[in-house]
């Protein structure tokens, strides 16, 4: 061997004839099953290949590859492994000049077939599969860096390579799911284990993918997952896409996300669990991509997800309608499966939105709000005309839940940036007051946006706070922009809270959120003028309960009384006017002795005895405007406006709305307004 090598190195022009002779001998020996000679010939070819790096090596390589192909074609596992080992050695040699005519199509096909080996002997099967994976790795290394030979990225090759690797990666998933968490492999194990070897090869392949061929590498993954029904359950799909997202170059992340969205569109008629599986994969991909560049796909992601949300609600209601006559178990399970899809979409929207920078997040908030179907909105909103009232309400709840997640943790510099009119108007629309859950979501979104100093957790629940200073509330001086915002939009906020208190289906959570809304407005947005407005609002709420023109149930009336008590107790301590605090404390004290159902600690208990009526109650159980005006007047507040009863602003939507409480409010307003003089009107 030494002599042969020396001869070949010193006379390189003879290499091609040496190669041809060895190849001929080897072919004969393979056919005649003289495996000892095959081994010697192959070793000689290997050593010559490693030793000679001259220009004349090209023809020799052709003979060499021809021999490797012969070994791979033989049915003998040992020869296949031998051929693979030789090919891997060859793949690690860097050639000085590219070879334009050499093609590796045969090797791709053969190594891919070996990856799927089903030999009856498990050890031989594993050996052949490992050889197949190492062969693919060799082909990738040999071809992937050479721009003149980009054939490896062509779909016909990728459609063989990628599924072969995934097939072997999947095997470890199956074993792991039976045994438990995988232990970290040692170096020896990596070589022995087809799954780990396949995963490393897959990572290497993706790491070398460029802008132009990224899609060719990712599409076969979808085909494999579809073919083997791996979206439900989707553990393997999730782990695949985690590998993809971490292996590719960060600037190509949006390519993968676009491909997942495209696949979601293709599978939109599939079972809910399959769609939920794809959406969860999208969530994982987005979670990784959000740390880097997501590129131009932001709106596309949200648009596609919202479209699928509407499709899912459509399916759910379609199933419900078709089963109206017969209550079958399968339909109920299908409905709950659609809920899984909807929750997965909301989670993805929320996670994606909350990971965006603030300037993009405000765009997304506007985008989602624009999709919420409310009375009198533009054609931008999701089309729910064929879904009926129930479908529209489901869509509203889903979109508001998404919005709640997107707004979580959003810190705008000014309140005008957080609540611009195109966002605030539909958010406070009467269409979103149709039931208690919708109202809760609207208030929670408002809290996310108004609460810029994270005080909300300290105000959780509704209670009489003995000493507000113990809460250590953080606040800044009210800025000029905030004052201007309250001048323009304060009436909208007051009106929303006022009408929210008049709803019959309010539960404890609604009252708690209304209390937090009032408290946060006081902390974040209240100058002296706003404080007076808030007191007028509180007195008007008390009047709702006492006069009861809306025929509210007794629980709601007592709930409103408790809300007013909790809020005025908070407000009086925040503005720290002793006489005002004294009046509020006295009323609360009297209530705790004579009418504890007017206090939040009592009324929101499970078993609270409600009064028969509120007519007989003494005045000292109520907060009195004249007493409050007296106490604040002494501290320099301009209290003239306190004598003007608060009446909510009328909007065009009220006239369009069919809702009883709003229509009543408008008619009351029409009764009250003519009785006021012009000065009062300008103050309202």
């Amino acid at each position: 061997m030494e002599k042969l090598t020396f001869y070949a190195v010193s006379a390189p022009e003879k290499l091609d004839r040496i190669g041809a002779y060895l190849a001929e001998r080897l072919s004969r020996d393979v056919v005649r099953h003289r495996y000892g000679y095959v081994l010697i010939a192959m070793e000689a070819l290997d050593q010559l290949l490693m030793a000679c790096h001259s220009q004349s090596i090209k023809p020799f390589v052709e003979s060499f590859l021809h021999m490797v192909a012969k070994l791979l074609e033989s049915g003998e596992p040992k020869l296949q492994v031998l051929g693979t080992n030789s090919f891997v050695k060859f793949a690690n040699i860097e050639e000085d000049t590219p070879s334009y005519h050499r093609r590796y199509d045969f090797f791709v096909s053969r190594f891919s077939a070996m990856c799927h080996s089903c030999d009856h002997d498990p050890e031989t099967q594993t050996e052949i599969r490992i050889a197949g994976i190492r062969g693919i790795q060799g082909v990738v290394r040999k071809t992937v860096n050479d721009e003149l030979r980009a054939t490896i990225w062509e779909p016909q090759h990728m459609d063989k390579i990628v599924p072969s690797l995934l097939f072997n990666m999947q095997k470890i998933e199956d074993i792991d799911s039976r045994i438990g968490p995988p232990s970290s492999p040692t170096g020896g194990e990596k070589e022995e284990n087809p799954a780990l070897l396949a995963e490393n090869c897959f990572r290497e392949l993706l790491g070398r993918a460029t802008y132009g061929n990224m899609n060719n590498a990712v599409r076969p993954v979808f085909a494999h997952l579809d073919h083997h029904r791996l979206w439900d359950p989707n553990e393997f799909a999730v782990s695949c896409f985690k590998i993809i997202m971490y292996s590719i170059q960060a600037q190509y992340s949006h390519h993968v996300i676009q491909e997942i969205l495209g696949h979601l569109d293709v599978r939109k008629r599939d079972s809910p669990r399959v769609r939920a599986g794809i959406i969860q994969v999208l969530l994982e991909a987005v979670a990784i991509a959000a740390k880097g560049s997501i590129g131009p796909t932001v709106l596309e992601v949200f648009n596609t997800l919202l479209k699928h949300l509407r499709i899912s609600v459509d399916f759910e209601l379609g199933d419900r309608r078709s089963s109206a006559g017969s209550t079958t178990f399968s339909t109920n399970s299908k409905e709950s499966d659609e809920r899984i899809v909807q929750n997965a979409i909301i989670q993805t929207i929320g996670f994606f939105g909350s990971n965006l920078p603030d300037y993009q997040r405000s765009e997304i908030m506007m985008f989602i709000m624009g999709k919420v179907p409310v009375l009198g909105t533009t054609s931008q909103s999701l089309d729910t005309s064929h879904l009926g009232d129930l479908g529209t309400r489901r869509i509203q709840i889903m979109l508001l839940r998404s919005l709640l997640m997107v707004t979580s943790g959003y810190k705008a510099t000014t309140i005008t940036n957080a609540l611009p009119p195109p966002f605030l108007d539909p958010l406070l629309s009467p269409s979103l007051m149709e039931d208690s859950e919708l109202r809760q979501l609207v208030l929670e979104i408002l809290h996310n946006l108004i609460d810029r100093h994270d005080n909300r957790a300290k105000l959780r629940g509704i209670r009489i706070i003995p000493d507000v200073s113990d809460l250590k509330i953080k606040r800044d001086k009210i800025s000029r922009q905030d004052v201007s915002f309250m001048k323009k939009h304060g009436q909208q906020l007051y009106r929303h809270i006022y009408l929210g208190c008049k709803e019959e289906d309010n539960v404890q959570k609604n009252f708690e959120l209304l209390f937090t809304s009032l408290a946060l407005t006081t902390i974040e947005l209240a100058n002296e003028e706003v404080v007076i407005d808030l007191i007028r609002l509180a007195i008007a709420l008390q009047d709702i309960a006492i006069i009861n023109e809306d025929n509210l149930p007794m629980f709601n009336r007592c709930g409103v009384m408790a809300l007013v008590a909790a809020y005025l107790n908070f407000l009086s301590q925040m503005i720290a006017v002793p006489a005002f605090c004294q009046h509020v404390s006295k009323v609360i004290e009297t209530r705790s002795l004579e009418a504890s159902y007017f206090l939040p600690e009592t009324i929101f208990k499970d078993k609270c005895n409600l009064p028969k009526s509120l007519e007989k109650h003494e005045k000292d159980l109520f907060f009195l405007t004249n007493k409050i005006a007296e106490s604040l007047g002494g501290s320099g507040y301009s209290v003239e406006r306190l004598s003007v009863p608060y009446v909510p602003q009328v909007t065009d939507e009220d006239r369009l709305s069919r809702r009883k409480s709003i229509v009543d409010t408008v008619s009351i307003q029409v009764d009250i307004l003519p009785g006021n003089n012009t000065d009062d009107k300008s103050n309202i």
Side-chain angles (χ1 to χ4, degrees):
M1 195 62 231
E2 277 175 21
K3 286 178 183 173
L4 179 62
T5 308
F6 177 74
Y7 176 64
V9 170
S10 50
E13 67 280 0
K14 303 282 187 194
L15 253 178
D16 57 332
R17 287 180 60 196
I18 296 171
Y21 171 74
L22 281 172
E24 191 189 324
R25 284 291 305 267
L26 198 140
S27 298
R28 240 181 6 238
D29 294 336
V30 167
V31 172
R32 292 172 181 172
H33 301 287
R34 294 176 177 170
Y35 296 142
Y37 289 120
V38 170
L39 222 66
I40 293 167
M42 209 61 218
E43 204 169 315
L45 281 167
D46 283 355
Q47 288 197 26
L48 286 172
L49 193 65
M50 302 304 277
C52 306
H53 284 270
S54 71
Q55 288 293 319
S56 3
I57 201 169
K58 292 277 179 290
F60 175 74
V61 168
E62 296 311 316
S63 305
F64 170 79
L65 289 176
H66 177 65
M67 282 331 304
V68 171
K70 267 268 184 288
L71 294 180
L72 293 176
E73 277 177 327
S74 76
E76 187 61 42
K78 280 180 189 166
L79 295 188
Q80 290 179 6
V81 173
L82 181 69
T84 304
N85 291 341
S86 293
F87 184 83
V88 170
K89 284 177 196 164
F90 162 69
N92 289 329
I93 294 173
E94 284 190 27
E95 294 179 59
D96 301 335
T97 54
S99 170
Y100 302 112
H101 61 279
R102 194 186 303 150
R103 292 186 68 81
Y104 294 94
D105 301 17
F106 166 78
F107 293 102
V108 170
S109 302
R110 190 71 203 116
F111 289 134
S112 299
M114 286 164 70
C115 288
H116 290 85
S117 164
C118 294
D119 197 280
H120 52 82
D121 175 29
E123 278 185 27
T124 310
Q125 179 181 302
T126 304
E127 205 177 350
I128 295 174
R129 284 186 182 181
I130 287 174
I133 297 163
R134 289 179 63 229
I136 285 179
Q137 206 166 17
V139 174
V140 169
R141 282 179 185 166
K142 196 70 189 160
T143 58
V144 90
N145 288 331
D146 198 338
E147 275 124 43
L148 294 163
R149 238 182 12 249
T151 53
I152 191 74
W153 295 108
E154 286 173 7
Q156 70 262 31
H157 298 318
M158 282 291 134
D159 288 347
K160 292 172 188 166
I161 291 173
V162 173
S164 304
L165 297 175
L166 293 178
F167 174 74
N168 283 285
M169 284 160 62
Q170 199 184 328
K171 293 297 163 195
I172 194 167
E173 287 284 324
D174 297 346
I175 296 161
D176 284 349
S177 59
R178 284 199 300 272
I179 296 170
S183 56
S184 57
T186 58
E189 251 180 82
K190 260 183 194 167
E191 287 300 311
E192 303 286 310
N193 191 332
L196 291 169
L197 197 61
E199 186 182 314
N200 290 339
C201 183
F202 189 47
R203 286 180 191 278
E204 191 178 328
L205 178 72
L206 292 163
R208 294 166 186 263
T210 58
Y211 182 82
N213 45 43
M214 173 61 60
N215 293 352
N216 288 348
V218 174
R219 276 180 195 144
V221 178
F222 291 109
H224 181 84
L225 296 171
D226 286 348
H227 182 69
H228 292 274
R229 297 181 181 164
L230 294 171
W231 294 112
D232 172 38
N234 68 344
E235 287 81 3
F236 180 68
V238 168
S239 73
C240 274
F241 277 92
K242 277 186 174 173
I243 290 169
I244 292 171
M245 294 304 287
Y246 281 122
S247 303
I248 60 174
Q249 295 170 49
Q251 67 268 33
Y252 304 145
S253 296
H254 63 276
H255 263 310
V256 179
I257 290 171
Q258 268 173 321
E259 288 292 323
I260 301 173
L261 290 171
H263 196 67
L264 184 59
D265 281 341
V266 171
R267 304 297 302 266
K268 67 183 177 197
R269 299 254 163 238
D270 275 42
S271 75
R273 286 184 175 276
V274 167
R275 282 178 285 132
I278 299 173
I279 293 161
Q280 278 158 355
V281 165
L282 177 65
L283 174 61
E284 294 292 342
V286 159
I288 296 164
K291 297 182 182 96
S293 128
I294 298 174
T297 49
V298 175
L299 277 180
E300 192 187 334
V301 171
F302 286 100
N303 215 358
T304 307
L305 287 172
L306 293 177
K307 182 176 74 184
H308 283 278
L309 188 60
R310 189 184 59 72
I311 291 170
S312 174
V313 171
D314 207 357
F315 282 154
E316 184 188 351
L317 293 172
D319 293 334
R320 192 178 290 180
R321 279 194 291 270
S322 64
S323 69
S326 61
T327 53
T328 55
F329 169 74
S330 62
T331 306
N332 290 344
S333 67
K334 183 105 185 281
E335 259 180 50
S336 62
D337 285 353
E338 286 297 348
R339 294 285 169 100
I340 294 170
V341 175
Q342 292 156 19
N343 289 335
I345 292 174
I346 289 167
Q347 227 182 334
T348 308
I349 289 175
F351 186 87
F352 197 178
S354 57
N355 272 290
L356 291 173
D358 281 351
Y359 72 93
Q360 269 186 324
R361 211 193 301 195
S362 57
E363 273 178 43
I364 294 307
M365 283 155 49
M366 295 293 292
F367 179 73
I368 297 175
M369 196 67 238
K371 296 284 179 189
V372 179
V374 296
L375 209 62
T377 50
T378 58
S379 55
Q380 289 294 309
S381 64
L382 290 181
D383 176 26
T384 57
S385 51
H386 62 292
L387 294 178
D389 287 347
L390 184 65
T392 303
R393 182 180 160 272
R394 290 278 305 141
I395 291 281
Q396 287 171 336
I397 285 176
M398 296 291 164
L399 291 177
L400 289 180
R401 280 175 59 198
S402 311
L403 201 52
L404 183 61
M405 290 183 78
V406 174
T407 53
S408 172
Y410 177 64
K411 293 278 182 287
T413 44
T414 66
I415 197 75
T416 320
N417 291 354
L419 291 168
F423 180 83
L424 187 65
D425 296 347
L427 184 66
L428 300 183
S429 152
S431 315
L432 298 182
M433 295 186 76
E434 297 290 343
D435 74 4
S436 64
E437 190 180 352
L438 277 172
R439 294 196 301 280
Q440 287 168 17
L441 288 166
V442 168
L443 290 172
E444 285 176 303
I445 291 165
L446 276 176
H447 297 172
N448 277 349
L449 296 170
I450 294 174
D451 182 22
R452 290 168 288 174
H453 296 90
D454 299 320
N455 290 312
R456 195 175 7 163
K458 301 166 188 172
L459 300 166
R460 195 153 283 145
I462 177 170
R463 63 199 189 282
I464 303 293
I465 301 164
D467 189 352
V468 171
S469 60
D470 288 347
L471 300 180
K472 295 189 170 54
I473 281 169
K474 292 185 209 148
R475 65 190 301 198
D476 290 334
K477 195 170 181 299
I478 310 298
S479 69
R480 194 182 299 163
Q481 290 99 322
D482 292 348
V483 172
S484 145
F485 173 83
M486 286 309 280
K487 279 202 168 106
K488 281 185 193 162
H489 304 291
Q491 290 300 329
Q492 270 178 287
L493 290 173
Y494 306 149
R495 174 180 184 282
H496 188 78
I497 291 169
Y498 181 83
L499 295 178
C501 287
K502 295 176 74 164
E503 296 292 344
E504 285 189 23
D505 60 347
N506 278 340
V507 292
Q508 180 178 346
K509 188 177 179 187
N510 291 78
F511 288 113
E512 287 176 359
L513 293 171
L514 286 161
F515 167 71
T516 310
S517 304
L518 287 163
L520 288 174
T521 308
T522 309
I523 295 166
E524 296 283 351
L525 302 167
N527 59 1
E528 288 192 8
E529 199 178 321
V530 173
V531 166
I532 297 295
D533 282 338
L534 286 166
I535 293 171
R536 285 172 62 214
L537 174 60
I539 298 298
L541 293 177
Q542 181 175 262
D543 290 345
I544 290 176
I546 299 168
I547 301 164
N548 196 27
E549 287 180 338
D550 296 282
N551 292 324
L552 290 173
M554 189 52 76
F555 167 77
N556 293 49
R557 292 170 72 186
C558 292
V560 171
M561 294 296 269
L563 166 67
V564 173
Y567 174 60
L568 287 179
N569 168 63
F570 176 80
L571 176 67
S572 62
Q573 294 185 54
M574 283 300 283
I575 62 172
V577 174
F580 183 24
C581 290
Q582 206 176 341
H583 171 60
V584 171
S585 306
K586 196 172 175 194
V587 172
I588 289 170
E589 208 176 305
T590 314
R591 285 185 180 186
S592 62
L593 296 171
E594 295 177 26
S596 60
Y597 40 75
F598 284 166
L599 297 176
E601 286 79 357
T602 306
I603 183 65
F604 297 123
K605 274 188 186 155
D606 286 344
K607 289 175 182 171
C608 169
N609 294 322
L610 297 172
K612 294 282 184 289
S613 76
L614 302 187
E615 277 69 47
K616 297 170 193 159
H617 285 88
E618 299 296 323
K619 275 196 169 179
D620 53 4
L621 289 174
F622 304 137
F623 300 100
L624 304 174
T625 313
N626 55 353
K627 287 272 177 68
I628 296 172
E630 219 173 280
S631 60
L632 291 178
S635 297
Y637 280 83
S638 54
V639 292
E640 299 78 42
R641 284 169 54 249
L642 274 180
S643 57
V644 181
Y646 167 77
V647 176
Q649 208 178 31
V650 192
T651 66
D652 295 338
E653 272 190 89
D654 295 333
R655 298 184 176 92
L656 298 169
S657 176
R658 308 183 302 277
R659 308 193 62 248
K660 173 180 170 294
S661 62
I662 292 174
V663 175
D664 288 354
T665 305
V666 176
S667 63
I668 293 166
Q669 190 163 3
V670 173
D671 293 343
I672 290 173
L673 284 175
N676 291 330
N677 62 33
T678 49
D679 295 341
D680 287 349
K681 274 190 210 174
S682 63
N683 282 329
I684 287 173

